[in-house]
PDB file of all heavy atoms in Angstrom:
ATOM      1  N   ILE R   1       0.847  -1.241   0.027  1.00 94.00           N
ATOM      2  CA  ILE R   1      -0.024   0.048   0.027  1.00 94.00           C
ATOM      3  C   ILE R   1       0.871   1.258  -0.059  1.00 94.00           C
ATOM      4  O   ILE R   1       0.579   2.281  -0.754  1.00 94.00           O
ATOM      5  CB  ILE R   1      -0.947  -0.062   1.275  1.00 94.00           C
ATOM      6  CG1 ILE R   1      -1.936  -1.170   1.134  1.00 94.00           C
ATOM      7  CG2 ILE R   1      -1.696   1.322   1.235  1.00 94.00           C
ATOM      8  CD1 ILE R   1      -2.805  -1.097  -0.114  1.00 94.00           C
ATOM      9  N   LYS R   2       1.987   1.227   0.775  1.00 93.00           N
ATOM     10  CA  LYS R   2       2.758   2.373   0.859  1.00 93.00           C
ATOM     11  C   LYS R   2       3.386   2.800  -0.449  1.00 93.00           C
ATOM     12  O   LYS R   2       3.369   3.969  -0.982  1.00 93.00           O
ATOM     13  CB  LYS R   2       3.977   2.223   1.889  1.00 93.00           C
ATOM     14  CG  LYS R   2       3.306   2.307   3.289  1.00 93.00           C
ATOM     15  CD  LYS R   2       4.491   2.245   4.252  1.00 93.00           C
ATOM     16  CE  LYS R   2       3.927   2.223   5.673  1.00 93.00           C
ATOM     17  NZ  LYS R   2       4.896   2.031   6.668  1.00 93.00           N
ATOM     18  N   ASP R   3       3.799   1.760  -1.288  1.00 95.00           N
ATOM     19  CA  ASP R   3       4.379   2.058  -2.634  1.00 95.00           C
ATOM     20  C   ASP R   3       3.279   2.449  -3.597  1.00 95.00           C
ATOM     21  O   ASP R   3       3.453   3.364  -4.334  1.00 95.00           O
ATOM     22  CB  ASP R   3       4.960   0.666  -3.230  1.00 95.00           C
ATOM     23  CG  ASP R   3       6.127   0.185  -2.500  1.00 95.00           C
ATOM     24  OD1 ASP R   3       6.944   1.048  -1.983  1.00 95.00           O
ATOM     25  OD2 ASP R   3       6.374  -1.013  -2.351  1.00 95.00           O
ATOM     26  N   ALA R   4       2.065   1.796  -3.380  1.00 96.00           N
ATOM     27  CA  ALA R   4       1.068   2.295  -4.444  1.00 96.00           C
ATOM     28  C   ALA R   4       0.612   3.731  -3.987  1.00 96.00           C
ATOM     29  O   ALA R   4       0.348   4.528  -4.974  1.00 96.00           O
ATOM     30  CB  ALA R   4      -0.187   1.336  -4.047  1.00 96.00           C
ATOM     31  N   ARG R   5       0.507   4.044  -2.711  1.00 95.00           N
ATOM     32  CA  ARG R   5       0.179   5.421  -2.381  1.00 95.00           C
ATOM     33  C   ARG R   5       1.150   6.470  -2.741  1.00 95.00           C
ATOM     34  O   ARG R   5       0.895   7.396  -3.467  1.00 95.00           O
ATOM     35  CB  ARG R   5       0.072   5.507  -0.781  1.00 95.00           C
ATOM     36  CG  ARG R   5      -0.303   6.918  -0.316  1.00 95.00           C
ATOM     37  CD  ARG R   5      -0.340   6.975   1.182  1.00 95.00           C
ATOM     38  NE  ARG R   5      -0.860   8.220   1.683  1.00 95.00           N
ATOM     39  CZ  ARG R   5      -0.057   9.282   1.790  1.00 95.00           C
ATOM     40  NH1 ARG R   5       1.204   9.277   1.583  1.00 95.00           N
ATOM     41  NH2 ARG R   5      -0.506  10.465   2.165  1.00 95.00           N
ATOM     42  N   GLN R   6       2.445   6.190  -2.744  1.00 95.00           N
ATOM     43  CA  GLN R   6       3.471   7.039  -3.122  1.00 95.00           C
ATOM     44  C   GLN R   6       3.434   7.227  -4.627  1.00 95.00           C
ATOM     45  O   GLN R   6       3.503   8.385  -5.087  1.00 95.00           O
ATOM     46  CB  GLN R   6       4.895   6.618  -2.695  1.00 95.00           C
ATOM     47  CG  GLN R   6       5.985   7.580  -2.925  1.00 95.00           C
ATOM     48  CD  GLN R   6       5.691   8.990  -2.141  1.00 95.00           C
ATOM     49  OE1 GLN R   6       5.522   8.926  -1.029  1.00 95.00           O
ATOM     50  NE2 GLN R   6       5.643   9.974  -2.996  1.00 95.00           N
ATOM     51  N   LEU R   7       3.289   6.196  -5.379  1.00 95.00           N
ATOM     52  CA  LEU R   7       3.184   6.267  -6.751  1.00 95.00           C
ATOM     53  C   LEU R   7       1.953   7.148  -7.218  1.00 95.00           C
ATOM     54  O   LEU R   7       1.976   7.899  -8.122  1.00 95.00           O
ATOM     55  CB  LEU R   7       3.236   4.970  -7.491  1.00 95.00           C
ATOM     56  CG  LEU R   7       3.608   4.786  -8.989  1.00 95.00           C
ATOM     57  CD1 LEU R   7       4.895   5.455  -9.204  1.00 95.00           C
ATOM     58  CD2 LEU R   7       3.645   3.272  -9.257  1.00 95.00           C
ATOM     59  N   THR R   8       0.898   6.926  -6.369  1.00 96.00           N
ATOM     60  CA  THR R   8      -0.374   7.770  -6.763  1.00 96.00           C
ATOM     61  C   THR R   8      -0.105   9.102  -6.499  1.00 96.00           C
ATOM     62  O   THR R   8      -0.407   9.982  -7.301  1.00 96.00           O
ATOM     63  CB  THR R   8      -1.523   7.133  -5.764  1.00 96.00           C
ATOM     64  OG1 THR R   8      -1.778   5.720  -6.076  1.00 96.00           O
ATOM     65  CG2 THR R   8      -2.697   8.043  -5.973  1.00 96.00           C
ATOM     66  N   VAL R   9       0.442   9.430  -5.293  1.00 96.00           N
ATOM     67  CA  VAL R   9       0.764  10.930  -5.063  1.00 96.00           C
ATOM     68  C   VAL R   9       1.578  11.544  -6.137  1.00 96.00           C
ATOM     69  O   VAL R   9       1.321  12.660  -6.551  1.00 96.00           O
ATOM     70  CB  VAL R   9       1.324  11.082  -3.553  1.00 96.00           C
ATOM     71  CG1 VAL R   9       1.861  12.368  -3.360  1.00 96.00           C
ATOM     72  CG2 VAL R   9       0.349  10.509  -2.566  1.00 96.00           C
ATOM     73  N   ASP R  10       2.708  10.906  -6.312  1.00 94.00           N
ATOM     74  CA  ASP R  10       3.678  11.391  -7.464  1.00 94.00           C
ATOM     75  C   ASP R  10       2.947  11.662  -8.834  1.00 94.00           C
ATOM     76  O   ASP R  10       3.241  12.697  -9.502  1.00 94.00           O
ATOM     77  CB  ASP R  10       4.829  10.435  -7.507  1.00 94.00           C
ATOM     78  CG  ASP R  10       5.699  10.444  -6.456  1.00 94.00           C
ATOM     79  OD1 ASP R  10       5.628  11.257  -5.489  1.00 94.00           O
ATOM     80  OD2 ASP R  10       6.556   9.491  -6.189  1.00 94.00           O
ATOM     81  N   THR R  11       2.185  10.621  -9.274  1.00 95.00           N
ATOM     82  CA  THR R  11       1.468  10.637 -10.492  1.00 95.00           C
ATOM     83  C   THR R  11       0.526  11.835 -10.434  1.00 95.00           C
ATOM     84  O   THR R  11       0.411  12.579 -11.444  1.00 95.00           O
ATOM     85  CB  THR R  11       0.761   9.326 -10.908  1.00 95.00           C
ATOM     86  OG1 THR R  11       1.951   8.336 -10.839  1.00 95.00           O
ATOM     87  CG2 THR R  11       0.145   9.454 -12.157  1.00 95.00           C
ATOM     88  N   ALA R  12      -0.347  11.875  -9.414  1.00 95.00           N
ATOM     89  CA  ALA R  12      -1.306  13.044  -9.371  1.00 95.00           C
ATOM     90  C   ALA R  12      -0.678  14.444  -9.387  1.00 95.00           C
ATOM     91  O   ALA R  12      -1.281  15.280  -9.952  1.00 95.00           O
ATOM     92  CB  ALA R  12      -2.215  12.787  -8.017  1.00 95.00           C
ATOM     93  N   PHE R  13       0.438  14.515  -8.685  1.00 95.00           N
ATOM     94  CA  PHE R  13       1.078  15.923  -8.711  1.00 95.00           C
ATOM     95  C   PHE R  13       1.627  16.232 -10.147  1.00 95.00           C
ATOM     96  O   PHE R  13       1.529  17.349 -10.435  1.00 95.00           O
ATOM     97  CB  PHE R  13       2.249  15.656  -7.653  1.00 95.00           C
ATOM     98  CG  PHE R  13       3.073  17.038  -7.508  1.00 95.00           C
ATOM     99  CD1 PHE R  13       2.489  18.120  -6.850  1.00 95.00           C
ATOM    100  CD2 PHE R  13       4.294  17.072  -8.130  1.00 95.00           C
ATOM    101  CE1 PHE R  13       3.314  19.251  -6.757  1.00 95.00           C
ATOM    102  CE2 PHE R  13       5.109  18.293  -8.181  1.00 95.00           C
ATOM    103  CZ  PHE R  13       4.530  19.385  -7.495  1.00 95.00           C
ATOM    104  N   GLN R  14       2.274  15.251 -10.676  1.00 93.00           N
ATOM    105  CA  GLN R  14       2.850  15.548 -12.036  1.00 93.00           C
ATOM    106  C   GLN R  14       1.860  15.610 -13.118  1.00 93.00           C
ATOM    107  O   GLN R  14       2.145  16.259 -14.088  1.00 93.00           O
ATOM    108  CB  GLN R  14       3.914  14.395 -12.416  1.00 93.00           C
ATOM    109  CG  GLN R  14       5.128  14.398 -11.482  1.00 93.00           C
ATOM    110  CD  GLN R  14       6.012  13.258 -11.723  1.00 93.00           C
ATOM    111  OE1 GLN R  14       6.321  12.953 -12.913  1.00 93.00           O
ATOM    112  NE2 GLN R  14       6.479  12.578 -10.761  1.00 93.00           N
ATOM    113  N   MET R  15       0.694  14.934 -13.030  1.00 94.00           N
ATOM    114  CA  MET R  15      -0.236  14.940 -14.061  1.00 94.00           C
ATOM    115  C   MET R  15      -1.701  14.880 -13.462  1.00 94.00           C
ATOM    116  O   MET R  15      -2.375  13.798 -13.411  1.00 94.00           O
ATOM    117  CB  MET R  15      -0.060  13.700 -14.936  1.00 94.00           C
ATOM    118  CG  MET R  15      -0.705  13.936 -16.246  1.00 94.00           C
ATOM    119  SD  MET R  15      -0.120  12.620 -17.412  1.00 94.00           S
ATOM    120  CE  MET R  15      -0.678  13.182 -18.970  1.00 94.00           C
ATOM    121  N   PRO R  16      -2.189  16.062 -12.993  1.00 94.00           N
ATOM    122  CA  PRO R  16      -3.401  16.092 -12.234  1.00 94.00           C
ATOM    123  C   PRO R  16      -4.640  15.539 -13.152  1.00 94.00           C
ATOM    124  O   PRO R  16      -5.536  15.207 -12.542  1.00 94.00           O
ATOM    125  CB  PRO R  16      -3.619  17.529 -12.035  1.00 94.00           C
ATOM    126  CG  PRO R  16      -2.248  18.101 -11.998  1.00 94.00           C
ATOM    127  CD  PRO R  16      -1.462  17.433 -12.925  1.00 94.00           C
ATOM    128  N   VAL R  17      -4.446  15.565 -14.459  1.00 94.00           N
ATOM    129  CA  VAL R  17      -5.597  15.180 -15.150  1.00 94.00           C
ATOM    130  C   VAL R  17      -5.815  13.672 -15.053  1.00 94.00           C
ATOM    131  O   VAL R  17      -6.912  13.083 -15.383  1.00 94.00           O
ATOM    132  CB  VAL R  17      -5.330  15.348 -16.784  1.00 94.00           C
ATOM    133  CG1 VAL R  17      -4.184  14.527 -17.330  1.00 94.00           C
ATOM    134  CG2 VAL R  17      -6.592  15.387 -17.581  1.00 94.00           C
ATOM    135  N   LEU R  18      -4.934  12.958 -14.394  1.00 95.00           N
ATOM    136  CA  LEU R  18      -5.126  11.533 -14.165  1.00 95.00           C
ATOM    137  C   LEU R  18      -5.818  11.245 -12.752  1.00 95.00           C
ATOM    138  O   LEU R  18      -6.133  10.074 -12.470  1.00 95.00           O
ATOM    139  CB  LEU R  18      -3.712  10.769 -14.206  1.00 95.00           C
ATOM    140  CG  LEU R  18      -3.077  10.634 -15.596  1.00 95.00           C
ATOM    141  CD1 LEU R  18      -1.735   9.976 -15.366  1.00 95.00           C
ATOM    142  CD2 LEU R  18      -3.988   9.815 -16.489  1.00 95.00           C
ATOM    143  N   LYS R  19      -6.112  12.206 -12.034  1.00 94.00           N
ATOM    144  CA  LYS R  19      -6.708  12.075 -10.735  1.00 94.00           C
ATOM    145  C   LYS R  19      -8.024  11.145 -10.926  1.00 94.00           C
ATOM    146  O   LYS R  19      -8.202  10.245 -10.098  1.00 94.00           O
ATOM    147  CB  LYS R  19      -7.069  13.348 -10.031  1.00 94.00           C
ATOM    148  CG  LYS R  19      -5.894  13.967  -9.536  1.00 94.00           C
ATOM    149  CD  LYS R  19      -6.092  15.188  -8.828  1.00 94.00           C
ATOM    150  CE  LYS R  19      -4.872  15.846  -8.184  1.00 94.00           C
ATOM    151  NZ  LYS R  19      -5.288  17.046  -7.315  1.00 94.00           N
ATOM    152  N   PRO R  20      -9.050  11.419 -11.809  1.00 93.00           N
ATOM    153  CA  PRO R  20     -10.161  10.383 -11.839  1.00 93.00           C
ATOM    154  C   PRO R  20      -9.732   9.127 -12.126  1.00 93.00           C
ATOM    155  O   PRO R  20     -10.298   8.075 -11.527  1.00 93.00           O
ATOM    156  CB  PRO R  20     -10.984  10.965 -13.045  1.00 93.00           C
ATOM    157  CG  PRO R  20     -10.481  12.433 -13.062  1.00 93.00           C
ATOM    158  CD  PRO R  20      -9.129  12.542 -12.779  1.00 93.00           C
ATOM    159  N   ALA R  21      -8.756   8.721 -12.918  1.00 94.00           N
ATOM    160  CA  ALA R  21      -8.384   7.420 -13.274  1.00 94.00           C
ATOM    161  C   ALA R  21      -7.688   6.759 -12.062  1.00 94.00           C
ATOM    162  O   ALA R  21      -7.826   5.616 -11.739  1.00 94.00           O
ATOM    163  CB  ALA R  21      -7.370   7.435 -14.531  1.00 94.00           C
ATOM    164  N   LEU R  22      -6.888   7.619 -11.357  1.00 96.00           N
ATOM    165  CA  LEU R  22      -6.226   7.113 -10.161  1.00 96.00           C
ATOM    166  C   LEU R  22      -7.271   6.715  -9.146  1.00 96.00           C
ATOM    167  O   LEU R  22      -7.282   5.691  -8.438  1.00 96.00           O
ATOM    168  CB  LEU R  22      -5.284   8.036  -9.626  1.00 96.00           C
ATOM    169  CG  LEU R  22      -3.973   8.457 -10.451  1.00 96.00           C
ATOM    170  CD1 LEU R  22      -3.377   9.710  -9.983  1.00 96.00           C
ATOM    171  CD2 LEU R  22      -2.983   7.291 -10.181  1.00 96.00           C
ATOM    172  N   CYS R  23      -8.285   7.519  -8.896  1.00 94.00           N
ATOM    173  CA  CYS R  23      -9.294   7.294  -8.011  1.00 94.00           C
ATOM    174  C   CYS R  23     -10.105   5.952  -8.415  1.00 94.00           C
ATOM    175  O   CYS R  23     -10.438   5.232  -7.548  1.00 94.00           O
ATOM    176  CB  CYS R  23     -10.259   8.484  -7.847  1.00 94.00           C
ATOM    177  SG  CYS R  23     -11.146   8.607  -6.429  1.00 94.00           S
ATOM    178  N   ALA R  24     -10.263   5.852  -9.703  1.00 93.00           N
ATOM    179  CA  ALA R  24     -10.970   4.583 -10.163  1.00 93.00           C
ATOM    180  C   ALA R  24     -10.102   3.436  -9.725  1.00 93.00           C
ATOM    181  O   ALA R  24     -10.826   2.306  -9.519  1.00 93.00           O
ATOM    182  CB  ALA R  24     -11.265   4.724 -11.602  1.00 93.00           C
ATOM    183  N   VAL R  25      -8.860   3.467  -9.850  1.00 95.00           N
ATOM    184  CA  VAL R  25      -7.960   2.382  -9.460  1.00 95.00           C
ATOM    185  C   VAL R  25      -8.213   2.040  -8.016  1.00 95.00           C
ATOM    186  O   VAL R  25      -8.484   0.877  -7.619  1.00 95.00           O
ATOM    187  CB  VAL R  25      -6.470   2.623  -9.751  1.00 95.00           C
ATOM    188  CG1 VAL R  25      -5.643   1.632  -9.031  1.00 95.00           C
ATOM    189  CG2 VAL R  25      -6.212   2.710 -11.286  1.00 95.00           C
ATOM    190  N   TRP R  26      -8.214   3.099  -7.220  1.00 95.00           N
ATOM    191  CA  TRP R  26      -8.477   2.775  -5.785  1.00 95.00           C
ATOM    192  C   TRP R  26      -9.754   2.318  -5.472  1.00 95.00           C
ATOM    193  O   TRP R  26      -9.982   1.509  -4.394  1.00 95.00           O
ATOM    194  CB  TRP R  26      -8.004   4.038  -4.996  1.00 95.00           C
ATOM    195  CG  TRP R  26      -6.545   4.227  -4.909  1.00 95.00           C
ATOM    196  CD1 TRP R  26      -5.646   5.022  -5.610  1.00 95.00           C
ATOM    197  CD2 TRP R  26      -5.651   3.476  -3.968  1.00 95.00           C
ATOM    198  NE1 TRP R  26      -4.471   4.712  -5.395  1.00 95.00           N
ATOM    199  CE2 TRP R  26      -4.381   3.888  -4.282  1.00 95.00           C
ATOM    200  CE3 TRP R  26      -5.895   2.505  -2.981  1.00 95.00           C
ATOM    201  CZ2 TRP R  26      -3.243   3.338  -3.618  1.00 95.00           C
ATOM    202  CZ3 TRP R  26      -4.706   2.066  -2.329  1.00 95.00           C
ATOM    203  CH2 TRP R  26      -3.496   2.471  -2.588  1.00 95.00           C
ATOM    204  N   GLN R  27     -10.759   2.735  -6.183  1.00 93.00           N
ATOM    205  CA  GLN R  27     -12.089   2.219  -6.043  1.00 93.00           C
ATOM    206  C   GLN R  27     -12.165   0.739  -6.349  1.00 93.00           C
ATOM    207  O   GLN R  27     -12.783  -0.005  -5.568  1.00 93.00           O
ATOM    208  CB  GLN R  27     -13.195   3.017  -6.735  1.00 93.00           C
ATOM    209  CG  GLN R  27     -13.433   4.351  -6.216  1.00 93.00           C
ATOM    210  CD  GLN R  27     -14.378   5.140  -7.017  1.00 93.00           C
ATOM    211  OE1 GLN R  27     -14.563   5.012  -8.326  1.00 93.00           O
ATOM    212  NE2 GLN R  27     -15.135   6.001  -6.330  1.00 93.00           N
ATOM    213  N   ARG R  28     -11.563   0.348  -7.387  1.00 93.00           N
ATOM    214  CA  ARG R  28     -11.522  -1.157  -7.851  1.00 93.00           C
ATOM    215  C   ARG R  28     -10.813  -1.908  -6.734  1.00 93.00           C
ATOM    216  O   ARG R  28     -11.330  -2.949  -6.431  1.00 93.00           O
ATOM    217  CB  ARG R  28     -10.875  -1.203  -9.079  1.00 93.00           C
ATOM    218  CG  ARG R  28     -11.579  -1.298 -10.338  1.00 93.00           C
ATOM    219  CD  ARG R  28     -10.980  -1.860 -11.505  1.00 93.00           C
ATOM    220  NE  ARG R  28      -9.570  -1.288 -11.832  1.00 93.00           N
ATOM    221  CZ  ARG R  28      -9.253  -0.163 -12.506  1.00 93.00           C
ATOM    222  NH1 ARG R  28     -10.303   0.621 -12.862  1.00 93.00           N
ATOM    223  NH2 ARG R  28      -8.111   0.243 -12.697  1.00 93.00           N
ATOM    224  N   VAL R  29      -9.685  -1.429  -6.232  1.00 94.00           N
ATOM    225  CA  VAL R  29      -8.946  -2.176  -5.267  1.00 94.00           C
ATOM    226  C   VAL R  29      -9.723  -2.342  -4.003  1.00 94.00           C
ATOM    227  O   VAL R  29      -9.932  -3.410  -3.306  1.00 94.00           O
ATOM    228  CB  VAL R  29      -7.631  -1.504  -5.036  1.00 94.00           C
ATOM    229  CG1 VAL R  29      -7.010  -2.058  -3.755  1.00 94.00           C
ATOM    230  CG2 VAL R  29      -6.625  -1.516  -6.192  1.00 94.00           C
ATOM    231  N   SER R  30     -10.348  -1.167  -3.586  1.00 92.00           N
ATOM    232  CA  SER R  30     -11.206  -1.178  -2.363  1.00 92.00           C
ATOM    233  C   SER R  30     -12.259  -2.203  -2.484  1.00 92.00           C
ATOM    234  O   SER R  30     -12.699  -2.944  -1.512  1.00 92.00           O
ATOM    235  CB  SER R  30     -11.909   0.193  -2.173  1.00 92.00           C
ATOM    236  OG  SER R  30     -10.721   1.140  -1.684  1.00 92.00           O
ATOM    237  N   ALA R  31     -13.008  -2.243  -3.702  1.00 93.00           N
ATOM    238  CA  ALA R  31     -14.032  -3.160  -4.000  1.00 93.00           C
ATOM    239  C   ALA R  31     -13.658  -4.721  -4.134  1.00 93.00           C
ATOM    240  O   ALA R  31     -14.489  -5.580  -4.061  1.00 93.00           O
ATOM    241  CB  ALA R  31     -14.855  -2.834  -5.080  1.00 93.00           C
ATOM    242  N   SER R  32     -12.331  -4.924  -4.208  1.00 91.00           N
ATOM    243  CA  SER R  32     -11.840  -6.303  -4.581  1.00 91.00           C
ATOM    244  C   SER R  32     -11.917  -7.131  -3.347  1.00 91.00           C
ATOM    245  O   SER R  32     -11.810  -8.398  -3.516  1.00 91.00           O
ATOM    246  CB  SER R  32     -10.400  -6.249  -5.047  1.00 91.00           C
ATOM    247  OG  SER R  32      -9.420  -5.837  -3.991  1.00 91.00           O
ATOM    248  N   GLY R  33     -12.016  -6.642  -2.099  1.00 89.00           N
ATOM    249  CA  GLY R  33     -12.055  -7.493  -0.843  1.00 89.00           C
ATOM    250  C   GLY R  33     -10.634  -7.915  -0.464  1.00 89.00           C
ATOM    251  O   GLY R  33     -10.508  -8.792   0.349  1.00 89.00           O
ATOM    252  N   THR R  34      -9.551  -7.433  -0.988  1.00 87.00           N
ATOM    253  CA  THR R  34      -8.252  -7.820  -0.766  1.00 87.00           C
ATOM    254  C   THR R  34      -7.501  -6.914   0.336  1.00 87.00           C
ATOM    255  O   THR R  34      -6.479  -7.354   0.812  1.00 87.00           O
ATOM    256  CB  THR R  34      -7.414  -7.874  -2.113  1.00 87.00           C
ATOM    257  OG1 THR R  34      -7.210  -6.479  -2.477  1.00 87.00           O
ATOM    258  CG2 THR R  34      -7.838  -8.797  -3.112  1.00 87.00           C
ATOM    259  N   LEU R  35      -8.182  -5.805   0.795  1.00 90.00           N
ATOM    260  CA  LEU R  35      -7.611  -4.960   1.644  1.00 90.00           C
ATOM    261  C   LEU R  35      -7.951  -5.260   3.165  1.00 90.00           C
ATOM    262  O   LEU R  35      -9.212  -5.548   3.332  1.00 90.00           O
ATOM    263  CB  LEU R  35      -7.979  -3.594   1.292  1.00 90.00           C
ATOM    264  CG  LEU R  35      -7.478  -2.994  -0.093  1.00 90.00           C
ATOM    265  CD1 LEU R  35      -7.914  -1.488  -0.160  1.00 90.00           C
ATOM    266  CD2 LEU R  35      -5.950  -3.137  -0.172  1.00 90.00           C
ATOM    267  N   SER R  36      -7.100  -5.075   3.959  1.00 91.00           N
ATOM    268  CA  SER R  36      -7.411  -5.191   5.409  1.00 91.00           C
ATOM    269  C   SER R  36      -8.341  -3.977   5.802  1.00 91.00           C
ATOM    270  O   SER R  36      -8.265  -2.983   5.030  1.00 91.00           O
ATOM    271  CB  SER R  36      -6.163  -5.338   6.300  1.00 91.00           C
ATOM    272  OG  SER R  36      -5.515  -4.017   6.274  1.00 91.00           O
ATOM    273  N   GLU R  37      -8.786  -3.978   7.038  1.00 93.00           N
ATOM    274  CA  GLU R  37      -9.559  -2.821   7.493  1.00 93.00           C
ATOM    275  C   GLU R  37      -8.734  -1.524   7.488  1.00 93.00           C
ATOM    276  O   GLU R  37      -9.201  -0.395   6.980  1.00 93.00           O
ATOM    277  CB  GLU R  37     -10.113  -3.041   8.912  1.00 93.00           C
ATOM    278  CG  GLU R  37     -11.090  -2.095   9.347  1.00 93.00           C
ATOM    279  CD  GLU R  37     -11.633  -2.312  10.672  1.00 93.00           C
ATOM    280  OE1 GLU R  37     -11.847  -3.465  11.050  1.00 93.00           O
ATOM    281  OE2 GLU R  37     -11.985  -1.378  11.478  1.00 93.00           O
ATOM    282  N   SER R  38      -7.454  -1.551   7.922  1.00 92.00           N
ATOM    283  CA  SER R  38      -6.608  -0.472   7.935  1.00 92.00           C
ATOM    284  C   SER R  38      -6.341   0.105   6.564  1.00 92.00           C
ATOM    285  O   SER R  38      -6.192   1.317   6.189  1.00 92.00           O
ATOM    286  CB  SER R  38      -5.384  -0.646   8.847  1.00 92.00           C
ATOM    287  OG  SER R  38      -4.640  -1.672   8.299  1.00 92.00           O
ATOM    288  N   GLU R  39      -6.094  -0.900   5.584  1.00 92.00           N
ATOM    289  CA  GLU R  39      -5.768  -0.649   4.205  1.00 92.00           C
ATOM    290  C   GLU R  39      -7.058   0.029   3.634  1.00 92.00           C
ATOM    291  O   GLU R  39      -6.807   0.959   2.743  1.00 92.00           O
ATOM    292  CB  GLU R  39      -5.301  -1.755   3.534  1.00 92.00           C
ATOM    293  CG  GLU R  39      -3.894  -2.250   3.935  1.00 92.00           C
ATOM    294  CD  GLU R  39      -3.572  -3.672   3.333  1.00 92.00           C
ATOM    295  OE1 GLU R  39      -4.494  -4.441   2.984  1.00 92.00           O
ATOM    296  OE2 GLU R  39      -2.342  -3.901   3.310  1.00 92.00           O
ATOM    297  N   GLN R  40      -8.140  -0.412   3.952  1.00 92.00           N
ATOM    298  CA  GLN R  40      -9.515   0.171   3.345  1.00 92.00           C
ATOM    299  C   GLN R  40      -9.607   1.664   3.772  1.00 92.00           C
ATOM    300  O   GLN R  40      -9.901   2.508   3.054  1.00 92.00           O
ATOM    301  CB  GLN R  40     -10.644  -0.623   3.910  1.00 92.00           C
ATOM    302  CG  GLN R  40     -10.947  -1.865   3.208  1.00 92.00           C
ATOM    303  CD  GLN R  40     -11.553  -1.601   1.742  1.00 92.00           C
ATOM    304  OE1 GLN R  40     -11.455  -0.583   1.224  1.00 92.00           O
ATOM    305  NE2 GLN R  40     -12.280  -2.566   1.335  1.00 92.00           N
ATOM    306  N   ILE R  41      -9.186   1.851   5.026  1.00 92.00           N
ATOM    307  CA  ILE R  41      -9.214   3.312   5.578  1.00 92.00           C
ATOM    308  C   ILE R  41      -8.273   4.173   4.770  1.00 92.00           C
ATOM    309  O   ILE R  41      -8.582   5.231   4.325  1.00 92.00           O
ATOM    310  CB  ILE R  41      -8.992   3.362   6.987  1.00 92.00           C
ATOM    311  CG1 ILE R  41     -10.118   2.670   7.782  1.00 92.00           C
ATOM    312  CG2 ILE R  41      -8.714   4.868   7.645  1.00 92.00           C
ATOM    313  CD1 ILE R  41      -9.814   2.538   9.239  1.00 92.00           C
ATOM    314  N   LEU R  42      -6.971   3.704   4.640  1.00 92.00           N
ATOM    315  CA  LEU R  42      -5.980   4.309   3.770  1.00 92.00           C
ATOM    316  C   LEU R  42      -6.439   4.585   2.334  1.00 92.00           C
ATOM    317  O   LEU R  42      -6.363   5.635   1.963  1.00 92.00           O
ATOM    318  CB  LEU R  42      -4.662   3.653   3.865  1.00 92.00           C
ATOM    319  CG  LEU R  42      -3.580   4.336   3.047  1.00 92.00           C
ATOM    320  CD1 LEU R  42      -3.223   5.713   3.657  1.00 92.00           C
ATOM    321  CD2 LEU R  42      -2.228   3.494   3.161  1.00 92.00           C
TER     322      LEU R  42
END
């Protein structure tokens, strides 16, 4: 998660137009059932 978060932050900062796509990625991951409760919060 920390690697994914850092890459997300860096990408969003460098190319803000990708924010909706980045958010969609995180929504898919959240819906996948693979995250722990603390990871879901993050």
Side-chain angles (χ1 to χ4, degrees):
I1 299 296
K2 289 181 182 178
D3 293 328
R5 181 182 184 278
Q6 189 59 55
L7 200 50
T8 298
V9 169
D10 293 346
T11 301
F13 177 77
Q14 293 176 43
M15 198 169 194
V17 71
L18 288 177
K19 286 183 176 183
L22 290 163
C23 204
V25 165
W26 283 98
Q27 287 178 329
R28 264 195 315 276
V29 171
S30 292
S32 71
T34 60
L35 300 180
S36 69
E37 186 176 332
S38 62
E39 290 170 338
Q40 280 283 27
I41 292 168
L42 181 59

